[in-house]
Structures are given as structure tokens and as C-alpha cells.
Amino acid sequence: MWLRRLPTDRIAKRYPPDALVIAAPVKGALGLSAVNDAAVALGLRVGMPLADARAMHPKLAVADADERADFALLEAIAEWCDRYTPLVGLDPPDGLTLDISGCAHLFGGEAALAHDLMRRLERQGLQARVAVADTVGGAWGVARFSPALPPPERGRSASETSRVGVIPSGDERNVLATLPLAALRLPAETIEALSQVGLKRIGDVLDRPRAPLAARFGAEFVRRLDQALGREDEPITPRLPIPAAITEQRFAEPIALERDVLGTIEKLAAKLCALLERRGEGARLLQAALFRTDGKVFRIEVGLSEPLREAARIRHLFADRLGVIGDEVDPGFGYDMLRLAALVTERSEPAQTGLAQPDHAAELAHLIDRLGARFGLRRVTRFVAQDTHIPEFAVMAVGGTVSAHARASGHPVLGSGSPLSRGRAAVEQDSLIPTRPIRLLARPEPVEAIAEVPDGPPVRFRWRHVLHEVAHVEGPERIAMEWWRDEAGYTLMRDYFRVESREGLRVWLFRGWLTDAERPTRWFLHGMFA
Amino acid sequence: MLPADMEQLSRLRRAIAKSEALPEEVRPLAFGVAEIDAALGGGLSRAALHELSATALQLGAAAGFALTLAALASEQAKQTLWIATDFGTLETGALYGPGLDQIGLPTERLLVVRVARPVDALFAAEEALKCRALSAVVAEVNGEADLTATRRLGLAAREGGALGLLLRHKVSDAPSAAFTRWQVAAAPSVPDGFGGLGPTAFHLSLTRNRRGPCGDWTLTWNHHERTFSALSVSVAAAPADGPDREALSA
């Protein structure tokens, strides 16, 4: 699909001037980077210096080029095209590639799909030329260069049929033969070189021996030719990951109520789950795409802690998610299509559940999913011990999912022994009080502390403007930072003290210094005991 | 008041008491300290909401007390959920795994969820309390938990059977539907023979108790055995500190 006047259409949607050109700096001067049909009729061409164009037509409407806005529009159109097929590839600056194999029949055939696409784009004020072919290269060339598709001019209605080209399967060769070589997606230099030797149309090169062509014009030339003719496979790079399973529902009348949306999601989820069950899989990441009638698409994703295939739960999760992002999803005039896709799936065997006992694991997984749907799965965490003695790194928060924990720690979650308490902590537990605080500040906070002897424990310290007298202290426990963590080449040393104030406040203080000695030591508060 | 009215009133009272009563089969969480358990009617009710509050300086102690309660309530095959807010984490630090293990709550039975807004903490707490796979739910909140919110949480706890703990980062007298309210502070520990730090000690004020009297206690927590023991008991409303401390340091 070629959006032939994308930059001007973007602006003309808002201001419909007669002739519009887009100017962009070319080699230090402003040149025309895009023109609309009215401007073409005035004799303006892309590449012409802006000054010349102004001289010819002083009243010409000029807009600055904005490639990012153009690209954003292209993306928005691609997003909207998602209603036809999940496999939409971007072909910047002004093209889209849709793989419609297997879904054209849903719209009444390839030609009907192309017409539908075109008609809807036209209504949005976008001019497009659509070609359907067996190969990406063939469709590209026909959409842009086929004389059978004359560029329509505003006002004068070229019938829509003339702008949709459907190449019958196996007919690429004949259709392409009539097109200029530029239809092969070749760099300008190659086309130039080819035209110098009198080769202008694709038909001129089709029957020539390949080896000399490749030798003279490069392997790229032959590859493009092969791609257009289908001798070489050319995959479409999809904009979005292709889901593992998809279900969708179209509505004759747009729906807008959240209740209806959720009801539809549940219905689709039931279908999706049946599909996944046959494969012995469960969904780990679900996405609901809501296609609004005006072309906007909302995508709502829900991650799951365990492979899931239960429609009612899926509905709950989306209800939670919608509850959070409610304001961002504005139904406007309603949605005319809803798609539920399992983006990531995982093997999941049906587990046998006891009849007598409540299924705690499943209930917990559901809770984690619901919290995850609302706050993001990354915010639901567990602790996993790490093999380091640096307090900050001794524990890592991993995703709250049961399986993530088991994977990270190598221990079953509901087992008897704790990986933390079995390790180093267990050795230190013969103390009367815990040796590690229950809360650790993300950054140690500087405190003013006074010690009686240079390397001794503190006798009083001021933290957050409050002065505390030390009643009891245990320490020091010396912890050297791992040398590779310090880029300056010095190792930071810390002497930790467990300190109890007169009032009973128990905190973890340390004195830090660098091994190169001369620097002054400083005191920090790192954590709080119970 | 007419006898008929009295009759009506007492019937209503019974109905309310019945609807607010806890399920019979749930065993309360005993402290193992006779005076407290007596005041609480056997111990802290599970399947109910309890409030802990502390001044800013004592938040470490309050979190510690919540952890000890969660450790007491902890059961095999059930988990504890801790709900923290971003602000609270910045202010008082995040829970630290090795320390939790040492105080007696195994980290493999602990889930932490961090939410951005305090209202989210209430939502998470309500959802979590309804879940029967949890033994305790601790939510760190400020003043957001009002009467309605605490009542909802209480009902959710009754449904799910978990011990619900609301950890307020501020001491407040705002009305609340919690079963009990505690004010927690760290108490000076009794040092060991060598002058080192003694076992963790809490000063607890029970300021509201639906089942019985209030009181002040100082307890120590044995993190090996996971038991409380009394350091001092004051039957009457205790003075803020002073006498206790001197008695200890003597």
C-alpha cells in the first residue's frame, strides 16, 4: 500500500489549500520534499528549489517538513490496518505492507479487502494506492508505478477500482514487465546506470542472463528482481510481535460500555482458552486490542504469573486493568472490533487439584495476577538471596510469581528451609539480636556521629535532626566493598555497628572510608532494626 | 424506655453482635503472655483487622512488631503479603530480606507489593485479605484508611481468614473499625552480661480493644523460638516512660 501524498495529506486534513508543498533543507537550501496534486498541476515537482517554486507561484502554500510527524501518522495508519491482519509491516517513509494471506476471505476476497481499505482511508482524507500481489516487491512496484492505476485528482473522480491493483497469482512477470525499473526498489545510481545502457523497463532485463547483470549492477539488483518475481522469499517485518493465538469479534453496531467490552473479552477469552487447551498451553501475556470506530486502537496488556486459561479470571484481570487506566481509554463513539490475543504462551499441563482442600497455590497466583494487572507485575516481588556480603546486594527482589522465584533461587517455594536462613544468616543467628536490620534505606543517610576514640563505636549521633545518645552498641563488623564495584580504584570500607539509643531506637550505623587512608571517615545510617 | 423498646434494642444488639462476631473455628493468635492474652480474650483474632501506629522515629519498631505478628500467624503453605507505598519506602527504607529471616519470618513465605499511591495500598489490602492463601496481610498506610475503608478491610479479612494489619505511619485518633489498635515503640533492651544488645523489645500500648480492657506492656521477642515474653506489665494506664526504664537499667 502506498500513501502517495502522506506529508501533504497530513497537513491538508486540517487546512485544505489549493496547492501545497512541503519544504525541507536540501544541501543548505530549501527544496520541495513533497507536493500535492494541485501543486503538480501547477508544474511543481519534488526536488525543485523552494525559491524557484515561489518565483513561479508567489501565493504557494508552504509547510515545513516534519518527518517525525509523518512517521507517526504512518504508524497510526499501520495501527489502524491491524484490523485487517495482525501482520502489518512499516515501509517508511510512506508505505505499508500487509500480509493478508489467510484473512482476505473474511472481507470477501482480496479485491474487496483492498477496496474497503482504500475507501476507509479516503474518508480520512488520505490518498492511497493499493496493490495485492504474491510478492512484497511486486505489490510495491505495482502500487507505485503501474499505469493501470492513474493518480486520481481531487474533485475529478477516478473510480476507486482504478487505484486497486490485484495481480493474479503467477502473473507478476507479465505485469511487472511493463513497469519502469524504479519499481524494483533500486537505488537511484543503479537505475541511472541501467538507463545509460538503454534498460528502462523491467521487461528489458527479465530475459537477460543473470550473471553479467549481477556483475555489472550488483547483487542487490538481482536480489530485488528475484524478490519481485517471487524467486526469493522476502519476509515482512511485522510492527508488532505476532501473537501465539488470536480471537476477535466485530460488531455491526459499535459498543462503548465497559460492561459490554468486558463481556466480549470474556467470550473471546473462552474461545482463546479452548484454543490454548488443545495445544496444552496457557497464556502468560494477554493483550486486548480495542479498535475504535475512528481508527484509534487501544491495546491493553495483562501479564500473568502462571500460564492461565480461565475465561472468568481473564475477565477479572482486564476489569482491574481497565479500572486503573480507565481515563486513558476513551470509547468515543464506540469500538467496532475487539481482539484478544495471547502474546506469550507457555506449556501448561492441566494440574490435578484436590477436592477437599482449597487450592492455595491457584488462589495465590490469581491474587498476584490481579495485583500485577493493577500495579504492574514488577511491583509484586519476592526476596531471593544473593551470594555476596555487600548488604545492598545480598538480596534481590524478583517477580512475585511462584515460578520466577523457584527459577531464581533453585528452591521450591513452599519448601521447609529458607535459602536465606540456611546460608550465612543461619551462622550468625547465635546472636541475641538479629544481625541484619529489617528495613534498609535505599541510600545510606549521612549522620553526624561522635566516637570517643578514632576507630571506636559512636557515643551519640544526630539523624534527621534528632540527637540520640547511644546506650548499647555492638560492632564493628567490617565489610569491604567488592573492589570491582568501585571504579576509582579504591575499595570502600565500612565498619558497621548495631546501635541502640537510650530510647530503645535500634539502627545500623556504619563508618565508611576509602582504603587510600588520607580521606576523612564519615558516618551513615543504613537500616533499622525492630 | 418501654420494655418493648428494650426488648427491641437488645435484639438488635444481638443481631449486630452476631453479624460482627468472628467465625468460631478460627483460633486466635496467642502472644503467650498471659496478661495480654487475657485482655484480648485468648489472643489477637485472626480474620480481623488490627491497627498498629507509631511516631516517625518508631516506624522501624512498628514494622518489626508487624513482622513478629506475621511470623506468629505464618502457616505452612500460606504466604504473607506486605504492601508498601513508594513514599513509605523512601522514608523508612524497604524491607530487607536477611533481616526478616532473622527476625523469624521466612522470606520464601513473603510477598511484597509496592504501590504508588496510598489508595492503591487499600485496594491491594482488600483484595489480598479476601484471598485464602495468605496468613497475614500488612498494609502500610497513612491517614487514608478512614472508617469506611477499615470496615471494608475488616469484612474482607473475615472473608479470607487472614490476619489483617494496618501499619499507620502516624499516630492518629481518627475513627476506625479495626478490632484492636496498638501504639508501638521500641523499648530499651536488657543488655546481655557483656554489655551487648539484648533481645528485641517493644513497648506496646493497646489503645482500643473491642473484647476487653486496654493496657500497656513491654515485651521481648525471641527470634529463635518465635515467642514473646513479658518484660514488664503495667495494669493501669502506664506513664509514658520513666519508671520502667529506670527499673530496667537498675
Side-chain angles (χ1 to χ4, degrees), chain A residues 168-205:
Chain A
S169 196
D171 207 20
E172 281 91 21
R173 205 180 155 82
N174 297 337
V175 175
L176 287 173
T178 61
L179 297 182
L181 280 166
L184 283 179
R185 294 178 288 175
L186 296 171
E189 309 88 73
T190 315
I191 294 169
E192 180 81 3
L194 284 160
S195 71
Q196 274 171 9
V197 295
L199 299 171
K200 299 229 153 62
R201 309 218 149 254
I202 298 178
D204 298 340
V205 294

Side-chain angles (χ1 to χ4, degrees), chain A residues 1 97 130-144 167 172 176 228:
Chain A
M1 177 170 86
T97 319
V130 182
V132 183
D134 279 0
T135 62
V136 176
W140 194 94
V142 171
R144 283 166 178 75
I167 310 178
E172 281 91 21
L176 287 173

Side-chain angles (χ1 to χ4, degrees), chain A residues 395-465:
Chain A
V395 71
M396 183 175 74
V398 300
T401 66
V402 177
S403 49
H405 182 263
R407 270 198 296 274
S409 67
H411 293 284
V413 175
L414 300 174
S416 50
S418 148
L420 286 178
S421 58
R422 231 183 288 141
R424 185 172 45 80
V427 183
E428 292 171 7
Q429 264 197 1
D430 51 2
S431 166
L432 271 177
I433 70 155
T435 54
R436 289 288 177 268
I438 53 165
R439 307 195 82 136
L440 197 72
L441 294 168
R443 282 174 157 263
E445 285 183 16
V447 294
E448 296 168 27
I450 296 164
E452 272 176 346
V453 287
D455 286 335
V459 290
R460 65 180 66 89
F461 62 96
R462 187 187 293 279
W463 176 51
R464 292 183 182 173
H465 308 298

Side-chain angles (χ1 to χ4, degrees), chain A residues 320 358 360 363-364 367-368 370-371 374-375 379-383 391 394-395 400 405 413-421 425 428-441 463-464 468 472-474 498-500 502-506 528-530, chain B residues 57 60-61 63-64 67 76-79 81 86 91-103 107-108 110-116 120 123-124 127-128 130-134 140 186-189 191-192 195-202 223-224 245:
Chain A
D320 284 347
H360 284 329
E363 207 171 329
L364 189 68
L367 175 71
I368 294 172
R370 291 201 65 184
L371 296 176
R374 201 167 167 108
F375 308 119
R379 283 180 166 268
V380 188
T381 52
R382 282 177 186 286
F383 295 110
V395 71
H405 182 263
V413 175
L414 300 174
S416 50
S418 148
L420 286 178
S421 58
E428 292 171 7
Q429 264 197 1
D430 51 2
S431 166
L432 271 177
I433 70 155
T435 54
R436 289 288 177 268
I438 53 165
R439 307 195 82 136
L440 197 72
L441 294 168
W463 176 51
R464 292 183 182 173
H468 301 275
H472 309 290
V473 63
E474 273 185 18
R498 284 171 280 159
V499 170
E500 181 176 312
R502 289 255 170 88
E503 289 77 33
L505 181 75
R506 281 172 284 268
M528 275 159 265
F529 292 93
Chain B
L57 208 55
L67 286 170
Q76 196 71 35
K78 283 198 180 189
Q79 306 256 318
L81 181 78
D86 284 349
E91 192 71 8
T92 57
L95 287 187
Y96 185 54
L100 306 185
D101 266 321
Q102 290 182 356
I103 206 165
T107 41
E108 77 269 14
L110 179 72
L111 270 167
V112 179
V113 56
R114 238 174 81 180
V115 297
D120 292 336
F123 167 88
E127 288 300 317
K130 284 182 195 160
C131 176
R132 281 165 302 169
L134 295 174
E140 294 185 57
S189 65
D192 62 7
L197 275 68
T200 306
F202 300 108
H223 59 277
H224 295 294
R245 207 166 28 153

Side-chain angles (χ1 to χ4, degrees), chain A residues 341-365:
Chain A
L343 296 185
V344 179
T345 59
E346 205 169 82
R347 188 117 205 104
S348 141
E349 302 300 339
Q352 182 142 17
T353 51
L355 291 173
Q357 292 151 341
D359 185 4
H360 284 329
E363 207 171 329
L364 189 68

Side-chain angles (χ1 to χ4, degrees), chain A residues 293-315:
Chain A
T293 41
D294 62 356
K296 181 117 182 86
V297 183
F298 296 108
R299 294 176 191 278
I300 304 164
E301 284 187 6
V302 170
L304 298 147
S305 59
E306 300 282 288
L308 177 70
R309 42 168 193 256
E310 268 179 60
R313 281 198 184 183
I314 291 174
R315 181 210 166 109

